[in-house]
Amino acid sequence: MEDISEGPTSSLLASSSAVSEGQGEGDAQASLLLISWNVAGWASTKALVQRHYGSLDKYLERLGSPAILCLQETKVQEKDMKNEVAAKSLGALLENYRSFWSFNLASNRDGKGVATWVRKDIPCLGATQSVLGIPDFDNQGRLLATDHGDFVVVNVYAPFVGNSGSQEVEAKLRFLEALQTALERLRQGGRKRVFLCGDLNLTHRLEDQQLLRRVVKFDGEGLLRVHNKELGPYEDWCDSWVSSKEVSARAEVPAEELSAEAECVHVRESGCVPWLRKMVQPPKLSEWADVFAEVHPDAKDRFTAWSQTANLRYVNLGTRIDYVLCDRATFQDCVVASSANALAGGEKPVSSPSSLSSSSLSSSSSSLAGTALPLPEDGGPLEARSDQKGPTPTATASTLSSQAALNAATNFGGWHASASFGIARGEGLGLQVDDMRLNDSQFPARPHTGLIYTPPAYSDHIAVSVLLKRAPLLSPPQASPNSSSPEPWAGEAASASSSLSETSTKRSQPWTMQRGIASFFGGGGGAFGARGNSSSNSS
């Protein structure tokens, strides 16, 4: 397939210049920014972006003009993009980007869906949602691959299991194993660089959730041995993983005493955590790198997702389940190891004037801004209420500390839980949605490898960012001379030339199918023939 990319169209497309902090101060190199974000429903997120910043184009410019943007859980269906008007309303057609989409084609047609925006100066040979070559998985809209010549980006939204039974766990493990097989195939024996971006719905380190969220295993008799102490027996906990919070409350022992026996909350998904650990552990030696964990190994309580219904972002009781992974050679050659000082939350920035009228914000919003954030102390549900006692954001903190992570998650207390008493009872996030002093804090001072603390109203997840050195990224890695070169694409995506089929790319852009029909009747252009004309308007 031909390269469907376009040359630079404006200064917005110029590569960002950043210090390669992993190789010493002053060694400035042209860089490219990659961002991955679970938006938990793109239509509502897009509406807020449009309302706050005028257009998606302008918002992306404020984020640092990412070369590639991967979104998960879009909840957009193929029928929602049946023509260009519908596609533009969802931001699919932008002046400086082109986008590709993966849809849930299964019978249930529920959520899911992923999408990838590629800046027009970045080579792109095509896209497909047929990544695994297994229709039962590929048709769920959980995967999308974009081929950029020397590198491939795989956008993923892995299954969420929760309290589901063993069949769901087994299905998730099969999905993950098939995904790893596809990633290895895409590497072509080391001839391509590969990125995996998205929500894996998994943690693999204890640091990826606070102690209260970790779990401990009771034996078949309902006993747990901790520090030569025996807890139990508890008949209802026989042969079960139980949260440290529940055990601490019931056994009346400090949660800290359970830390030696604690495990990741997702260890209950048998086989899934070991799968991820085998891929990315130990750091610096594994075949795949968990970019954030390796660049910021000492950062504490840096999570990417929180329960909105329980208000857990406001106590920073979350999990890190969103990732950018890449093959080891690409990590060593291309990833910029940003300083810990680039992480948000270390020092409260000087407030800037709001760019949006704040007339909709009542005085009760201001009175809530300094409310202390709670940490649950009993055995009840984990939720944040403004009348509970808990950790309080501070003006300064070490960027690697838990305090800085809390500062970042709450914007130094600016984002807070709903009040449960007084005249502001029930009011909280709704009053903060259009406060642009809060919303503008999401934009980093400069592109970096780390996290972007997007507003709580936008999603219950925040974005993961990776800064990449442009020159090595756009050149192939040094493959072993004896390495094999399997066909990179499988199933519908495969073509005789070992490149993506044009059909699979068109299916990721449903609005082009309509143009193809129009061109048959003399409208001209076709799917790629009128590049640039169809995407001249921002959305």
Side-chain angles (χ1 to χ4, degrees):
M1 178 179 289
E2 64 174 320
D3 182 352
I4 61 174
S5 63
E6 299 181 31
T9 58
S10 73
S11 60
L12 173 61
L13 299 180
S15 300
S16 58
S17 180
V19 173
S20 179
E21 293 166 296
Q23 295 189 6
E25 295 294 332
D27 184 12
Q29 297 186 25
S31 303
L32 298 173
L33 182 65
L34 185 157
I35 294 176
S36 180
W37 184 20
N38 180 322
V39 292
W42 176 235
S44 58
T45 303
K46 167 63 167 55
L48 286 174
V49 166
Q50 187 86 23
R51 188 164 97 201
H52 293 160
Y53 298 102
S55 72
L56 180 56
D57 263 322
K58 293 179 181 177
Y59 179 70
L60 294 180
E61 183 176 8
R62 293 288 299 274
L63 282 177
S65 301
I68 296 176
L69 171 70
C70 297
L71 301 185
Q72 300 86 42
E73 203 177 354
T74 60
K75 300 181 182 179
V76 174
Q77 296 185 23
E78 192 174 23
K79 65 180 179 62
D80 299 329
M81 291 189 163
K82 57 186 178 182
N83 55 50
E84 288 190 358
V85 173
K88 285 180 180 178
S89 71
L90 287 168
L93 298 174
L94 300 179
E95 180 180 355
N96 299 311
Y97 290 84
R98 56 214 185 280
S99 67
F100 306 91
W101 300 71
S102 176
F103 308 99
N104 183 7
L105 305 176
S107 58
N108 56 11
R109 300 296 172 97
D110 61 1
K112 309 182 184 66
V114 299
T116 300
W117 277 256
V118 181
R119 214 171 58 192
K120 288 183 178 178
D121 63 325
I122 303 301
C124 188
L125 304 181
T128 184
Q129 76 174 69
S130 297
V131 177
L132 306 185
I134 303 174
D136 285 349
F137 287 141
D138 287 333
N139 289 341
Q140 292 181 24
R142 295 188 176 279
L143 288 161
L144 180 71
T146 49
D147 186 354
H148 306 277
D150 291 320
F151 69 98
V152 176
V153 175
V154 178
N155 189 348
V156 61
Y157 174 47
F160 171 76
V161 172
N163 295 320
S164 303
S166 59
Q167 289 185 343
E168 286 76 10
V169 173
E170 291 171 1
K172 179 174 183 176
L173 183 57
R174 289 198 305 273
F175 174 89
L176 295 174
E177 290 174 339
L179 174 59
Q180 185 172 5
T181 298
L183 295 175
E184 295 296 345
R185 186 177 68 242
L186 291 172
R187 288 178 68 186
Q188 291 187 283
R191 289 176 170 81
K192 273 186 183 286
R193 303 188 185 279
V194 178
F195 295 89
L196 177 66
C197 308
D199 180 356
L200 292 178
N201 271 309
L202 278 179
T203 52
H204 70 92
R205 308 181 306 163
L206 293 180
E207 297 91 332
D208 295 332
Q209 59 268 291
Q210 284 192 2
L211 178 57
L212 289 176
R213 297 293 299 274
R214 299 170 197 166
V215 294
V216 291
K217 182 67 178 289
F218 281 78
D219 65 20
E221 297 178 351
L223 297 172
L224 175 67
R225 293 169 180 82
V226 181
H227 297 308
N228 299 319
K229 182 190 300 184
E230 195 172 78
L231 304 182
Y234 301 110
E235 293 184 3
D236 52 330
W237 286 349
C238 290
D239 198 28
S240 299
W241 290 98
V242 185
S243 76
S244 296
K245 179 180 182 293
E246 290 181 81
V247 176
S248 175
R250 185 171 181 178
E252 298 182 344
V253 297
E256 289 74 17
E257 290 190 12
L258 304 173
S259 60
E261 304 298 325
E263 253 289 8
C264 294
V265 63
H266 293 94
V267 76
R268 289 177 285 197
E269 299 178 17
S270 177
C272 295
V273 170
W275 170 86
L276 184 53
R277 284 176 173 166
K278 186 176 181 180
M279 278 192 71
V280 301
Q281 292 186 13
K284 301 182 180 179
L285 297 176
S286 55
E287 291 190 17
W288 295 86
D290 173 355
V291 173
F292 180 85
E294 294 208 19
V295 172
H296 302 292
D298 300 319
K300 293 181 172 58
D301 294 348
R302 293 289 178 168
F303 308 128
T304 62
W306 302 262
S307 168
Q308 282 188 327
T309 56
N311 284 325
L312 294 188
R313 177 162 174 173
Y314 314 109
V315 294
N316 197 30
L317 203 60
T319 52
R320 188 178 71 93
I321 58 177
D322 301 276
Y323 298 87
V324 173
L325 309 183
C326 65
D327 61 273
R328 178 59 55 187
T330 297
F331 180 81
Q332 293 171 340
D333 295 343
C334 304
V335 172
V336 175
S338 299
S339 165
N341 292 331
L343 297 175
E347 184 173 352
K348 187 175 183 179
V350 177
S351 297
S352 59
S354 174
S355 58
L356 192 72
S357 171
S358 59
S359 60
S360 62
L361 304 177
S362 69
S363 59
S364 59
S365 174
S366 299
S367 67
L368 285 172
T371 303
L373 301 175
L375 186 63
E377 296 176 347
D378 57 21
L382 295 171
E383 64 181 65
R385 302 193 342 249
S386 63
D387 58 335
Q388 287 180 316
K389 185 179 180 181
T392 304
T394 62
T396 59
S398 165
T399 53
L400 296 176
S401 68
S402 298
Q403 183 64 61
L406 174 65
N407 291 344
T410 65
N411 192 12
F412 296 88
W415 286 315
H416 51 77
S418 301
S420 57
F421 68 97
I423 62 171
R425 182 175 181 177
E427 296 181 342
L429 187 57
L431 295 173
Q432 305 165 59
V433 170
D434 295 323
D435 186 336
M436 297 307 292
R437 290 172 297 179
L438 294 175
N439 292 332
D440 286 350
S441 71
Q442 68 184 293
F443 303 118
R446 62 176 181 174
H448 71 292
T449 298
L451 304 175
I452 300 174
Y453 285 84
T454 45
Y458 286 19
S459 173
D460 55 352
H461 294 243
I462 61 171
V464 180
S465 63
V466 175
L467 193 61
L468 300 162
K469 304 168 191 173
R470 179 169 186 148
L473 178 65
L474 299 182
S475 60
Q478 295 295 320
S480 168
N482 297 321
S483 60
S484 59
S485 181
E487 290 299 313
W489 306 106
E492 176 191 81
S495 69
S497 63
S498 296
S499 63
L500 279 169
S501 69
E502 187 170 337
T503 299
S504 68
T505 301
K506 286 184 177 181
R507 286 184 175 175
S508 69
Q509 298 177 315
W511 60 92
T512 65
M513 306 295 282
Q514 185 196 51
R515 267 191 292 163
I517 295 174
S519 67
F520 179 79
F521 293 101
F528 305 113
R531 293 192 306 250
N533 296 333
S534 66
S535 57
S536 59
N537 297 322
S538 295
S539 177

